[in-house]
Amino acid sequence: MMRSIRKAAVIGSGVMGSAIAAHLANAGIPSLLLDIVPKQLTEEEAAKGLTLEHPAVRSRLAVQAIAKLRKTKPAPLYDDTFAERITPGNLEDHLAQIADVDWVIEVIVENLDAKKQLLSKIEAHWKEGTVVSSNTSGISINAMSADCGEAFKRHFLGTHFFNPPRYMKLLEVIPGEHTDPAIVSGMKQFCENRLGKGVVLAKDTPNFIANRIGTYGLLVTLQEMQEKGYRVEEVDAVTGPALGRPRSATFRTLDLVGLDTFVHVANNVYENVSDEAEKAVFAESPVLRGMVDKGWLGEKSGQGFYLKKKGPNGSEILSLDFSTMDYVPQKKVASASLEAAKLAKGAREKTKALLGAGDRYSELAWNILKKVLVYSAAKLGEIADSIREIDEAMKWGFGWELGPFETWDAIGLVRSVERMEAEGTAVPGWVKEWIAQGNTSFYKKQEGAAFYVHGGQYKELETAPEVISLRSLKEQNRVVKSNSGASLIDIGDGVACLEFHSPNNAIGADILTMIQQSLDEVRSNYNGLVIANQGRNFCVGANLMILLMEAQDEEWDEIDSIIRLFQNTMYKVKRFEKPVVAAPHRMTLGGGVEACMPADQIVASAETYFGLVEVGVGLIPAGGGCKEMALRVSQHAAHPDADLQPYLNQAFETIGTAKVSTSGHDAFKLGLFKPTDRIVINQDHLIHEAKQSVLRMVQAGYEPIREEKIRVAGSDGKAVMQLGAYSMRQSGYISEHDVKIANKLAHVLAGGDVPAGSLVTEQYMLDLEREAFLSLCGEPKTQQRMQHMLSKGKALRN
């Protein structure tokens, strides 16, 4: 049995090592960050009179790496203060301290000899029971540990994080031939539950799973392009969202990864496989080698397959012409197949539409895809034991919406294999045998359960009890109520879940109506309610299109009715007699925030970007957001003589500058979460954790939130905030219309023109919100901002 991991050591403070230490800190795991002792002083160190023996010099690399974490974008840390959980050191003075940690992670240069030498040093200080792992992206785990003792080997394995570790879900766990199975299962569970990772078990083969198949796919794409004369931008148009892949597609991905890094990864497979046909694919590309030799490494060198260049009409992104190796203006890419894919819904339908049109882009997609599918099937058993590991690795590591075997099912397994063989493509025997047995897909669903092919037969797809799939529950007929915007789903144990599913999960009358109907249903038949969904984002706000149309038609009574419905619905949620827990994730903006704030508790994903952003469209929060922030100000300064102004100024700044949290933890700092709210690091576990919170409240004897009066700053506090807005205008930071919005916001947050310290009701504050919102809707510049957001997707500062 593996012991608990309470402290770690990361060896290697480069970009990857420091980022892994940062993510351990995110999860509350303190760590040592160790690196080599520098051999030269910096100019600054010399000026201070330091020597190479000074402790600050000896641990400089780790100290600098930790300082850089606070500045790096995207941020490796959920909260800058988490950097304090990382202790810097060096390999000569502090390596012995690994005897006091539970997990040592090696993250040094990708060189077998260097790694073997380091493992020898680690073993000299190692205490049995401590897990040791390598973050290698492709070097053999067995070769690395070949000279180590048997006890050490039992505790050694690969843990390949994908970069950046905070944001990339995939973690490949690679056991060595001697690794204790209890260590493997224990690390898988720890990395899923504590680090929030999607863990796949990979075999100890070159580049493991995701990089093996991903690199193959990129190389065959490059080869197809060169053979058939496609342009860079054509390939990216086909191999991006049209094929269920990220927008970076092929060549933007290579530019992001770095061509030198990619060449190294491809070469690792070339040098370590024996099959000649496979070696031919991974052989060094003259084009890539030429680009690396010229220093055209991609984004880190400023040019790769694309080059951003300033011209007379602003910046232009040029693409590389392979025939001349010059950068040329991109040509518009359009075809029937791409248009069909664009119009189709979901990755399955997009892929089918792209392949079905029969034009040259369909041909490109097919010729790439068939090779990747066949290669993935051929590698089953060699790189992983199940198709599920391969599919999940590609989804979590490369951002594919469908893994290779899911894609094969989507395009029609039997029909596609017939086409492959007709074209002379050799299909692995096990695939043909599977079809010969009468099977038409690798995955299937039956009586509410999911199955996948494993060992020549269907095996039930097991999911952890912490994973609740709303889609699966709906397929099991667990929907209690539903309309166009939302559904109420029975998630078991007397708890129901309200799921938004309108376009972009935007809140309109349909969702508000379903919330009210859900409260009635839960009141009669359930113990509590979770508000959650599993869309790309939780909710990006209210339905702005309807609001703009009503404002342009001067339908003020209709807007007033919409806002009253929103406010009244949220008030009912807050006063509901049974527990309500909101579980937001990713983008949760404007009305999405206001849908969470009335809940008894927010259980949020660590990757939640939470903010009241209404000023970006010329408005202020009016679904209870201002009222809730004013209430929190009142609660923070609970003593009657306590000064409200500092808390009020923070709320004014947070809303007035449309601040959005950079993580769930950051939402606490912005005052958008209450101290009793919680963060869940594994988003797959979010609904389960929210449900558990409901059940705990029920078991403790739930009492509804009682209404309390709100102590407000009144006209004095309002004046302070308005003065701040005036000063920003005088300094040129904001526009006149920004000042108008800020003055309205100050009026509402301060509780209007009442004496300082007045106690007001929640309804009074809601009325102030609504009045200010309505008046701003009538402003032409607000309507311009709304129109700009709808058409351009970004804020207009007019």
Side-chain angles (χ1 to χ4, degrees):
M1 182 177 176
M2 191 184 88
R3 75 185 188 206
S4 298
I5 293 176
R6 295 179 294 272
K7 188 176 181 180
V10 179
I11 300 179
S13 67
V15 172
M16 199 65 187
S18 60
I20 290 171
H23 195 59
L24 291 170
N26 287 336
I29 306 291
S31 65
L32 296 169
L33 182 62
L34 308 181
D35 212 316
I36 60 172
V37 174
K39 291 183 171 57
Q40 287 184 314
L41 294 173
T42 64
E43 290 183 10
E44 184 180 0
E45 288 167 343
K48 289 179 179 179
L50 302 180
T51 69
L52 288 174
E53 296 307 311
H54 194 282
V57 175
R58 292 176 68 80
S59 297
R60 180 217 307 153
L61 296 179
V63 170
Q64 289 180 338
I66 295 169
K68 193 174 180 181
L69 290 174
R70 301 175 187 266
K71 303 173 184 176
T72 302
K73 301 295 179 186
L77 295 160
Y78 292 150
D79 186 309
D80 284 351
T81 62
F82 291 177
E84 296 166 10
R85 297 171 178 171
I86 309 172
T87 303
N90 67 75
L91 284 168
E92 293 181 20
D93 302 329
H94 306 110
L95 187 60
Q97 293 180 20
I98 67 171
D100 299 323
V101 307
D102 307 298
W103 181 16
V104 179
I105 313 170
E106 171 275 306
V107 200
I108 66 168
V109 64
E110 285 288 88
N111 177 278
L112 177 59
D113 288 339
K115 289 180 184 293
K116 290 181 73 170
Q117 289 172 21
L118 177 60
L119 288 185
S120 176
K121 293 177 182 178
I122 291 172
E123 189 173 15
H125 298 283
W126 174 75
K127 184 185 294 183
E128 187 158 353
T130 300
V131 175
V132 181
S133 71
S134 171
N135 185 61
T136 178
S137 59
I139 295 177
S140 169
I141 300 302
N142 291 314
M144 222 182 289
S145 61
D147 299 333
C148 297
E150 291 303 312
F152 187 89
K153 289 179 181 178
R154 286 197 299 272
H155 291 79
F156 182 67
L157 72 167
T159 51
H160 179 211
F161 289 81
F162 272 58
N163 192 26
R166 168 183 164 180
Y167 300 95
M168 294 298 290
K169 184 173 180 177
L170 180 62
L171 175 66
E172 292 176 322
V173 168
I174 311 101
E177 58 186 12
H178 300 287
T179 310
D180 185 340
I183 297 291
V184 177
S185 60
M187 286 301 293
K188 182 177 189 297
Q189 185 177 30
F190 171 81
C191 292
E192 287 173 344
N193 295 342
R194 193 71 183 271
L195 302 186
K197 293 299 168 190
V199 176
V200 299
L201 296 180
K203 299 290 190 74
D204 188 18
T205 55
N207 291 8
F208 312 129
I209 302 175
N211 279 342
R212 181 75 168 268
I213 291 174
T215 303
Y216 178 90
L218 290 167
L219 287 170
V220 296
T221 301
L222 178 62
Q223 291 162 9
E224 183 72 15
M225 170 193 179
Q226 291 178 279
E227 288 176 15
K228 303 292 173 60
Y230 290 98
R231 301 190 310 274
V232 164
E233 62 268 31
E234 288 181 306
V235 172
D236 275 358
V238 171
T239 59
L243 203 57
R245 310 279 172 80
R247 293 187 182 280
S248 56
T250 297
F251 294 111
R252 290 189 192 281
T253 295
L254 285 169
D255 277 355
L256 288 168
V257 168
L259 272 66
D260 52 342
T261 301
F262 180 78
V263 167
H264 172 78
V265 171
N267 190 54
N268 188 54
V269 179
Y270 177 81
E271 292 181 347
N272 289 284
V273 297
S274 55
D275 181 81
E276 290 303 319
E278 187 173 10
K279 287 179 80 74
V281 174
F282 286 93
E284 187 169 84
S285 160
V287 169
L288 292 178
R289 171 44 58 192
M291 293 175 70
V292 170
D293 290 344
K294 289 180 179 181
W296 297 359
L297 306 180
E299 194 167 275
K300 61 186 172 185
S301 67
Q303 66 187 104
F305 290 100
Y306 291 96
L307 171 66
K308 190 173 185 179
K309 189 174 182 181
K310 289 185 177 179
N313 299 319
S315 294
E316 181 183 14
I317 298 177
L318 308 177
S319 63
L320 186 63
D321 184 335
F322 276 26
S323 62
T324 63
M325 294 304 286
D326 291 325
Y327 290 96
V328 298
Q330 295 184 58
K331 296 179 182 178
K332 186 175 181 181
V333 181
S335 75
S337 62
L338 290 172
E339 187 60 27
K342 187 177 180 180
L343 294 173
K345 300 282 188 181
R348 293 175 181 275
E349 296 305 316
K350 285 181 181 296
T351 303
K352 287 163 65 176
L354 178 64
L355 296 177
D359 58 26
R360 66 190 297 266
Y361 294 139
S362 285
E363 180 185 2
L364 171 62
W366 169 252
N367 286 340
I368 294 168
L369 191 59
K370 70 176 180 180
K371 292 175 183 175
V372 172
L373 299 184
V374 166
Y375 186 74
S376 299
K379 295 295 113 181
L380 181 66
E382 178 184 337
I383 64 174
D385 281 331
S386 83
I387 66 168
R388 188 185 181 194
E389 306 282 357
I390 294 174
D391 278 349
E392 288 179 336
M394 299 316 298
K395 290 189 291 183
W396 295 340
F398 275 72
W400 295 8
E401 291 189 51
L402 299 173
F405 297 96
E406 291 172 325
T407 300
W408 217 330
D409 280 358
I411 65 175
L413 174 59
V414 177
R415 185 171 62 253
S416 62
V417 166
E418 289 173 351
R419 180 178 174 184
M420 289 173 186
E421 294 196 298
E423 294 171 355
T425 299
V427 177
W430 76 264
V431 175
K432 294 194 286 186
E433 288 174 18
W434 181 247
I435 293 172
Q437 293 171 21
N439 299 298
T440 59
S441 65
F442 294 118
Y443 293 89
K444 73 172 183 177
K445 290 183 178 177
Q446 184 175 312
E447 298 177 357
F451 299 84
Y452 67 104
V453 58
H454 186 77
Q457 58 187 7
Y458 278 121
K459 178 181 179 181
E460 186 168 355
L461 195 63
E462 296 177 0
T463 55
E466 296 85 5
V467 177
I468 293 176
S469 167
L470 296 182
R471 175 182 291 181
S472 295
L473 291 173
K474 288 190 283 188
E475 290 172 352
Q476 295 169 33
N477 299 315
R478 300 278 285 274
V479 176
V480 181
K481 287 181 176 292
S482 185
N483 66 15
S484 59
S487 296
L488 184 69
I489 304 165
D490 185 338
I491 58 174
D493 299 316
V495 181
C497 178
L498 179 69
E499 175 203 33
F500 301 166
H501 48 64
S502 62
N504 296 316
N505 289 344
I507 296 176
D510 49 1
I511 286 181
L512 296 172
T513 299
M514 183 51 60
I515 292 174
Q516 298 214 25
Q517 291 179 1
S518 295
L519 295 178
D520 291 339
E521 180 69 28
V522 171
R523 181 179 292 112
S524 300
N525 299 308
Y526 291 88
N527 295 321
L529 178 68
V530 168
I531 300 175
N533 64 71
Q534 292 171 327
R536 185 179 297 274
N537 297 303
F538 177 80
C539 176
V540 295
N543 192 322
L544 193 59
M545 175 66 79
I546 291 176
L547 192 60
L548 176 60
M549 291 169 59
E550 299 291 2
Q552 289 174 335
D553 292 341
E554 299 185 359
E555 295 287 353
W556 311 123
D557 287 345
E558 188 61 33
I559 294 176
D560 182 74
S561 176
I562 291 171
I563 300 306
R564 283 180 187 273
L565 176 61
F566 201 152
Q567 291 181 341
N568 291 340
T569 302
M570 294 305 110
Y571 187 83
K572 287 181 179 180
V573 170
K574 186 164 188 179
R575 299 285 165 252
F576 192 53
E577 58 266 35
K578 294 185 178 182
V580 178
V581 174
H585 66 278
R586 297 192 63 80
M587 300 303 293
T588 305
L589 306 175
V593 170
E594 292 176 305
C596 295
M597 282 182 146
D600 295 283
Q601 187 180 41
I602 293 174
V603 176
S605 166
E607 298 298 344
T608 299
Y609 317 122
F610 204 78
L612 293 163
V613 296
E614 286 84 351
V615 296
V617 290
L619 298 167
I620 68 164
C626 289
K627 178 262 293 182
E628 284 295 317
M629 292 297 277
L631 176 59
R632 292 174 191 196
V633 168
S634 177
Q635 291 169 337
H636 274 303
H639 192 278
D641 296 328
D643 187 5
L644 293 169
Q645 200 69 51
Y647 303 106
L648 192 60
N649 291 346
Q650 182 190 7
F652 179 65
E653 181 184 350
T654 297
I655 300 175
T657 57
K659 285 187 178 179
V660 177
S661 71
T662 55
S663 68
H665 291 86
D666 190 45
F668 285 105
K669 295 173 75 172
L670 295 178
L672 295 166
F673 285 174
K674 302 188 295 290
T676 53
D677 293 336
R678 292 176 50 221
I679 302 298
V680 174
I681 201 165
N682 190 326
Q683 191 173 305
D684 291 342
H685 298 175
L686 188 59
I687 294 178
H688 169 81
E689 291 296 330
K691 174 182 167 182
Q692 296 308 307
S693 285
V694 168
L695 294 173
R696 280 192 291 271
M697 283 186 244
V698 171
Q699 188 173 16
Y702 176 74
E703 292 186 12
I705 299 173
R706 294 176 181 175
E707 181 162 0
E708 60 181 292
K709 293 289 184 70
I710 301 171
R711 186 163 71 92
V712 295
S715 54
D716 292 347
K718 170 183 168 181
V720 172
M721 289 184 282
Q722 290 181 333
L723 178 61
Y726 173 78
S727 299
M728 290 187 71
R729 174 60 186 147
Q730 292 302 108
S731 302
Y733 291 115
I734 62 175
S735 69
E736 283 294 336
H737 192 53
D738 288 324
V739 173
K740 182 173 285 188
I741 299 165
N743 286 339
K744 296 280 187 184
L745 177 61
H747 179 76
V748 175
L749 288 175
D753 294 317
V754 297
S758 296
L759 296 175
V760 300
T761 64
E762 289 189 38
Q763 187 58 56
Y764 169 84
M765 294 296 291
L766 290 172
D767 291 342
L768 290 181
E769 275 187 1
R770 194 174 64 259
E771 290 162 9
F773 189 92
L774 281 165
S775 67
L776 287 169
C777 280
E779 294 285 342
K781 288 188 176 180
T782 286
Q783 293 180 19
Q784 289 170 14
R785 290 189 179 194
M786 295 163 74
Q787 182 68 60
H788 193 268
M789 179 61 73
L790 287 167
S791 59
K792 305 291 185 181
K794 56 185 179 181
L796 170 69
R797 289 298 182 192
N798 55 350

